Amino acid sequence: MTGNAMLQIVLYLVVLLGLAWPLGMYMARVYTDRPCGLDRVLGPVERLVYRLCGVDAEREMDWKGYAVSLMVFTGFSILLLYLQQRLQALLPLNPDGMAAVASELALNTAVSFSTNTNWQAYGGESTMSYLTQMLGLTSHNFLSAASGMAVLMALIRGMSRRETRTLGNFWKDLTRSTLYVLLPLSVVLSLLLVWQGTPQTFRGAATATILEPTDYDSPLKDASGAPVLDEAGKPKTEPGRMTEQTIARGPVASQEAIKELGTNGGGFFNVNSAHPFENPTPLANFLEMLAILLIPAGLCFTFGAMVGDKRQGIVILAAMTVIFVIMLSLCVVSEQAGNPNLAAAGIDQNPSDAAMAQAGGNMEGKEVRFGITGSALFATVTTGASCGAVNAMHDSFTPLGGLAPMVLMQLGEVVFGGTGSGLYGMLVFAVVAVFVAGLMVGRTPEYLGKKIEPFEMKMASLIILIPPFLSLMGTALGVLLPGAKAAVANPGAHGFSEILYAFSSMSNNNGSAFAGLSANALFYNTVGAACMFLGRFWLAIPTLAIAGSLGAKKIVPQGAGTLPTHTPLFVGLLVSVVLVVGALTFFPALALGPIAEHLGMIGR
């Protein structure tokens, strides 16, 4: 790894952790109803929301009531977004005349944005109207992220409270997450992105005169739009000349900000944060990477403050950071090494270093303004968090460079992860870790003074096993079914990696893609929608069940056999459990995909 790369990585981590601590302390005040500074301004708005929605914010719920509220809200959200896409052509704020979205694609998109996955099987600038982008997709970016934070708050209360059946109020947690955390941060980031050159306008697409006009053959069509055929039955054409270019634009900055802060990832444009309007400068790139991990990192400090032991949050954050740095180093080093076959062929070899495969490393699929480190860091950040944003094409990464972001998703999106969902996933792994330690010493395991018993382990097993099951079963179907295989552009191990990456992304609610895969197909739209829905709520509901069970328990005094969960030893144990579970589950599939591709590359 070069010195420049190490400097960029250290700078990123220092700034991230430096901003995460005050944000985490602020969020702890928000969720414990203490004065936070913004309550004087937003308090009346919050009370108005409750009044308009008929919500009694002070009535607390048990875990079942919390889960029912979550599912009712999500079901209603999916229905509204589906209908908006289907009726898009009849609705306002559609200056470019976008047609209604096809039914299976509308279903996939509605489930995707409601589950905080933001998987996109469409090109935003050529499919969605401004109203759909703003009212539909952007609002779901806020609300799906807020629902993950709400579930986390329920789990933290279950861990910190004693002998209670109540975990808070879902509607209150949802509202406060949106008003006090996501909205203010999004306003600030939107303004910064506009400053850097990101558009924010309601005007339609711009037209520019191109410098070098291009001649082409244009197909002739009749009045009904059907092609005109000649005597041989072939389509007739007429010469045409392109002198202008249509440049899509719109309210980009507002969607871009919450896209990153809410670990959503759904871009206004098809190429996402590789587009110069979404991510115009290296500074904008740095700000977007910070925004992706800022709330997940800050929530670790929130957790420590709310359970009354800040060391607990620091331990969880340390475990996340260790795994993140391991995967980031693999990705950066692999991309800087490039493809050795180019050196063997005498192409793009660095004259000063015969061992160097490529003079500048693997720049295929990357923006020059970001470079290898900026692209690899973004890829690791976005897949460590459950954010589908990309500033480079992961499909063009080297085999091991692509393996790193894939593994981060397959670990369950617990290395920072989504807003709320990443931390509650890692806390479930912490429960498993203390259970394993308890088996080693023959003592009933405890976490934060609560005994971990069979019910908690059954729920934890569901949470850990469901995403791999969905990922691997979806991949198996994608390999076997002819219609699914037809969507794959590349043969062999790389084509298998594209399918494995797609279902790892959807089942773990990430949303990024390897590309090279025609995702807008019936199989991927329908099976993918099922994976996204189950990958979100078959985890959230067992998490709430664990919260309810722990909340009803007494605090057990620490004894000689109690495993301290605030030490470096526990960091190592937690990291080991996460990596071992991921390795045992996905290694055979990875061996058929990126590992086989890497061995084939170096063996030529």
Side-chain angles (χ1 to χ4, degrees), residues 225-391:
V228 178
L229 306 179
D230 59 18
E231 294 79 3
K234 296 181 179 180
K236 289 184 178 182
T237 61
E238 61 180 355
R241 187 174 180 83
M242 184 174 68
T243 59
E244 294 181 332
Q245 178 184 2
T246 301
I247 303 174
R249 57 183 178 176
V252 183
S254 57
Q255 180 170 331
E256 188 71 16
I258 188 58
K259 168 189 122 177
E260 314 294 11
L261 285 165
T263 61
N264 295 286
F268 192 96
F269 299 99
N270 191 30
V271 294
N272 210 276
S273 287
H275 197 288
F277 281 178
E278 286 199 28
N279 194 0
T281 67
L283 177 57
N285 189 63
F286 189 80
L287 292 173
E288 290 186 18
M289 290 191 295
L290 279 178
I292 292 172
L293 293 189
L294 182 59
I295 295 177
L299 284 170
C300 294
F301 293 105
T302 304
F303 166 67
M306 291 182 67
V307 299
D309 186 351
K310 295 179 181 179
R311 297 173 300 177
Q312 301 294 338
I314 293 173
V315 161
I316 297 295
L317 181 61
M320 291 178 173
T321 305
V322 167
I323 301 174
F324 174 78
V325 171
I326 292 171
M327 292 296 108
L328 173 59
S329 301
L330 173 62
C331 189
V332 172
V333 169
S334 299
E335 293 307 298
Q336 287 181 340
N339 189 338
N341 292 310
L342 295 178
I347 302 172
D348 195 19
Q349 186 172 345
N350 186 352
S352 64
D353 187 354
M356 179 73 78
Q358 290 171 267
N362 177 33
M363 279 298 294
E364 180 187 344
K366 299 178 179 66
E367 292 291 304
V368 175
R369 66 186 188 276
F370 304 141
I372 287 177
T373 303
S375 302
L377 179 57
F378 200 111
T380 312
V381 165
T382 198
T383 50
S386 64
C387 182
V390 295
N391 75 344

Side-chain angles (χ1 to χ4, degrees), residues 82-94:
Y82 175 82
L83 292 176
Q84 184 177 348
Q85 293 175 85
R86 297 291 290 149
L87 299 173
Q88 174 176 269
L90 306 175
L91 298 174
L93 283 178
N94 189 7

Side-chain angles (χ1 to χ4, degrees), residues 145-169:
S147 65
M149 297 167 76
V151 173
L152 172 64
M153 289 306 115
L155 178 59
I156 293 176
R157 293 187 189 109
M159 290 179 166
S160 60
R161 293 179 179 181
R162 64 182 71 182
E163 298 182 83
T164 180
R165 296 289 178 182
T166 60
L167 302 171
N169 184 295

Side-chain angles (χ1 to χ4, degrees), residues 393-396 485-491 494-495 498-499 513-519:
M393 296 301 102
H394 297 182
D395 192 50
S396 296
K485 289 192 292 184
V488 182
N490 295 291
H494 192 76
E498 290 175 350
I499 300 173
F514 237 29
L517 184 72
S518 300

Side-chain angles (χ1 to χ4, degrees), residues 22 50 83 104 119 354 431 445 512 546 564:
Y50 297 148
L83 292 176
E104 65 274 10
W119 171 268
V431 168
S512 66
I546 291 175

